[in-house]
Amino acid sequence: MGYADEVFDLTDRVVVVTGGSRGLGREMAFAAARCGADVVVASRDYDNCAAVAAEIHERTGRAAMAYGVHVGRWDQLDGLVDAVYDRFGKVDVLVNNAGMQPVYDSLTSVTEKLFDAVLALNLKGPFRLSALIGERMVAAGRGSIVNVSSTGSIRPRPSIVPYAAAKAGLNAVTEGLALALGPSVRVNTLMAGPHRTDATAGWDLGNLEPGHNPFAAHALQCIGRPDEIIGAALYLASDASSYTTGATLRCDGGMP
């Protein structure tokens, strides 16, 4: 095992990734398994979770558990936590990645139902799941929680106001939980910028050539690949970040 392998080693740890069946969550679940972890792939679509979990096990040899859950519904979260602890006996890393960014025509077209749904999945659910698992992590004497936020939380465009508000709340939750669960449990924010995933499939990205590139003002002048989230995620999940908590790590290509 080389030095970098040791620093980012997750051998025999249990990593729970919500929203783990696609996009950035899928990349993070695979990365954790490749670093030696057993993983739990959780999202609303159990069949998708099962397919990803089977692929993870086949390609890495690590145990992978699928679980269907709506993270925005608190009455489903105890079942998820109990199932994971029944299977593995512990959780070392929780990645709160599940989220939604709905499209709307105007601010007045945002219904109360939609607004509440956005806050439930992006903010309320991660808070509750962090509380349930974080309490057990404290009892076990170790753990890392990674809250996947968005640069929209600090650059709220008119088209994402409810989503931006929820993610800004998640940023605050991170800092509060870091104090509440420390010193044995670390809690950090992974603030993701735009990556080419299902969530951005409907965006008009132009031809990304000079004069047309919507990311021209970004330092790297491009949208991220899904796998470009991996390094930041592994840093926060592993002991490489043992002296990092309550922090926000931006992975956004240098968004201004």
Side-chain angles (χ1 to χ4, degrees):
M1 182 180 290
Y3 179 69
D5 297 316
E6 293 180 9
V7 171
F8 292 95
D9 185 32
L10 294 173
T11 299
D12 295 329
R13 297 189 187 180
V14 176
V15 178
V16 177
V17 183
T18 67
S21 64
R22 62 179 187 170
L24 300 184
R26 184 179 187 277
E27 294 291 337
M28 290 185 279
F30 264 97
R34 290 186 177 111
C35 288
D38 297 325
V39 299
V40 179
V41 180
S43 79
R44 283 179 284 184
D45 191 322
Y46 173 78
D47 290 339
N48 284 346
C49 291
V52 172
E55 187 179 357
I56 288 174
H57 176 65
E58 179 181 354
R59 291 171 59 181
T60 69
R62 301 303 308 184
M65 171 183 169
Y67 194 92
V69 62
H70 190 312
V71 173
R73 297 176 181 169
W74 282 21
D75 60 350
Q76 297 185 21
L77 298 181
D78 288 276
L80 167 61
V81 175
D82 289 342
V84 173
Y85 277 86
D86 286 346
R87 170 76 181 273
F88 295 108
K90 64 174 183 173
V91 173
D92 297 289
V93 181
L94 167 64
V95 181
N96 283 311
N97 172 71
M100 64 180 294
Q101 180 182 324
V103 176
Y104 50 85
D105 295 326
S106 66
L107 293 176
T108 52
S109 70
V110 177
T111 64
E112 184 176 10
K113 181 179 180 180
L114 177 62
F115 194 95
D116 288 346
V118 172
L119 261 65
L121 186 58
N122 291 288
L123 177 59
K124 290 173 60 179
F127 166 77
R128 179 61 175 172
L129 194 54
S130 295
L132 292 173
I133 291 180
E135 187 175 76
R136 298 198 192 197
M137 285 177 167
V138 169
R142 62 168 292 123
S144 174
I145 297 174
V146 181
N147 289 323
V148 180
S149 183
S150 165
T151 48
S153 66
I154 57 174
R155 300 289 186 271
R157 302 186 310 277
S159 59
I160 62 166
V161 173
Y163 174 78
K167 290 300 190 181
L170 187 60
N171 299 345
V173 163
T174 290
E175 296 193 32
L177 289 180
L179 291 171
L181 301 177
S184 56
V185 178
R186 297 178 294 105
V187 188
N188 292 289
T189 293
L190 174 50
M191 186 177 289
H195 289 71
R196 195 180 291 277
T197 66
D198 292 346
T200 61
W203 291 11
D204 180 7
L205 298 179
N207 59 17
L208 303 185
E209 296 297 327
H212 302 276
N213 186 355
F215 306 104
H218 294 207
L220 297 183
Q221 299 184 12
C222 64
I223 190 171
R225 300 188 314 272
D227 63 297
E228 290 183 303
I229 201 72
I230 289 173
L234 290 177
Y235 167 71
L236 294 175
S238 69
D239 290 343
S241 59
S242 59
Y243 195 57
T244 303
T245 193
T248 297
L249 176 57
R250 289 175 58 177
C251 182
D252 60 8
M255 176 181 282

